[in-house]
Each structure stands twice: as structure tokens, then as C-alpha cells.
Amino acid sequence: CLHLSDCGLSVDDPAIHVKEFVEHFNRTAPLLDNPGQHLTFDEAMCAYTGHSSIKQYLPAKPHPYGFKWWVVDAREFVRRLKLFEGAVEVVSEDGKMCDLVCEMMEGYGNKHHILYCDNYFTSDNLLNRLLARKTFICDINRLKIPKHSPLNDHLLKKRERHKSHHFQCEDMQLLDQVTVWKDNKIIKLL
């Protein structure tokens, strides 16, 4: 059990109680063992029903009210945490999600890791920035596909269910290989 008290702090930062713990965790967690090649990035909720300016509501989560955390993990072990404290004011031209993922992946570059995340976080800018750090990404993405491409949704709908198809794409800026899985919906894995 972890108990955090204010110890007379009068700072307006709602996350002041956990910052030192999170910084210590982020420094020491990577030292515990080798994460392997595969990393995952996602959000997590820590249930909380009290009053806080940083409490979030995410109806799709098992605990819809609480604190939102950004998490990098590998082999069921959390590697890095970041508490969502509200919208960031300074955003690069690559976008706030790209900046967030790159910040969370600090220290994991140039090691040929594969990062798994959902399409909420991914963009062409993120793919480019991670590839520059020799980090690969596997995501489920809603790609903008040219009509003449074999990856066009209209053509993919005609394919058989529960089958995967691998494509080499020369007409897309960044991607050269895409795997498509067709179930009830078409899923494209980069």
C-alpha cells in the first residue's frame, strides 16, 4: 500500500504528491531487466472518485473515472509512466500525440524495438520520427489509400474473411509493406 500526504505543501500542482515517485520509477524500471524487442504504448486508468482537477472520464474503460496514465510496458511489466495533467500548451508541428510517444520512448531508441500501439497515437510524423531512431511501429491504422492501390477498402471488401494479405506499396510516401487482416472490419497493420 502506498500512502501519499501533502506534508504542508501549498503548491497548485495537483500531481505534486506522485511526481517524485514517478520520476524514481522511470529512472529505475529500465534497470531491472532487458525489455526484449517488443514494447507497448497505451493509456491506463487508475480509479478515483474524489475531487481533482486532473480526474478524467473515459466511458470505455472498466473504471471510467480516475487518473489517466500513459504507459510503456514490455512483457507485462511497466517500463515508464506519465500522469496526464491536462492538455499541453506547447505542441510541435508533428502533433501532441507524436510528441508524447517520442517522449515516452526516450532511452529505447537505436535498439530496433517494435512499438505496438493503437491508431489514436499514430501518424506519419510519428512513424518517421521513430524510424529515425531505429524503432519500428506496429499499429492498426486508418490509412488514406489511393483508389488504384490494392489496399483500397473497396477492393479489400471482396477478399475472404479471416485471411491476412501482405502488400508492397510503392505509391505511399513512407510505407513499403502493409499487412491486411479482414474480419468484420478491415485492419491494416503497418
Side-chain angles (χ1 to χ4, degrees):
C1 180
L2 179 64
H3 174 74
L4 303 167
S5 64
D6 63 3
C7 300
L9 296 173
S10 62
V11 179
D12 290 336
D13 184 359
I16 193 72
H17 304 298
V18 296
K19 282 195 176 191
E20 189 175 326
F21 168 75
V22 171
E23 289 170 4
H24 174 73
F25 180 85
N26 288 339
R27 275 193 314 270
T28 57
L31 305 174
L32 297 177
D33 74 337
N34 183 357
Q37 185 181 19
H38 304 279
L39 299 171
T40 305
F41 178 79
D42 205 357
E43 61 190 15
M45 287 292 283
C46 179
Y48 180 72
T49 56
H51 297 284
S52 174
S53 62
I54 59 174
K55 184 171 77 171
Q56 296 288 303
Y57 173 66
L58 298 174
K61 297 291 183 182
H63 301 286
Y65 289 97
F67 298 113
K68 180 164 59 170
W69 291 87
W70 304 116
V71 180
V72 173
D73 64 11
R75 297 188 314 208
E76 300 178 8
F77 181 74
V78 174
R79 300 290 168 170
R80 181 163 289 157
L81 291 170
K82 182 176 182 175
L83 179 63
F84 177 76
E85 299 179 52
V88 273
E89 295 179 18
V90 180
V91 178
S92 76
E93 62 185 30
D94 291 338
K96 62 183 176 182
M97 286 299 126
C98 181
D99 294 343
L100 173 67
V101 174
C102 288
E103 176 189 343
M104 294 292 287
M105 290 299 294
E106 282 295 322
Y108 294 103
N110 298 319
K111 297 178 183 172
H112 301 282
H113 287 294
I114 299 172
L115 178 67
Y116 296 85
C117 58
D118 60 27
N119 61 6
Y120 179 70
F121 305 105
T122 57
S123 66
D124 289 343
N125 295 333
L126 177 63
L127 293 169
N128 285 323
R129 282 176 65 179
L130 289 177
L131 284 175
R133 298 177 184 183
K134 296 181 183 165
T135 300
F136 306 100
I137 190 165
C138 182
D139 73 337
I140 299 171
N141 203 331
R142 295 180 199 128
L143 298 170
K144 295 177 184 170
I145 306 293
K147 287 187 178 183
H148 63 279
S149 172
L151 290 172
N152 182 288
D153 284 347
H154 179 70
L155 297 174
L156 291 172
K157 285 179 185 176
K158 296 177 183 177
R159 295 195 177 263
E160 197 176 339
R161 272 185 79 200
H162 299 124
K163 297 283 184 180
S164 64
H165 307 280
H166 185 76
F167 296 96
Q168 297 264 164
C169 301
E170 297 174 6
D171 54 353
M172 299 176 73
Q173 292 179 355
L174 171 71
L175 309 171
D176 62 351
Q177 295 183 24
V178 177
T179 301
V180 176
W181 169 261
K182 184 178 178 200
D183 194 16
N184 292 332
K185 292 184 179 181
I186 297 167
I187 299 172
K188 300 171 188 122
L189 298 168
L190 311 178

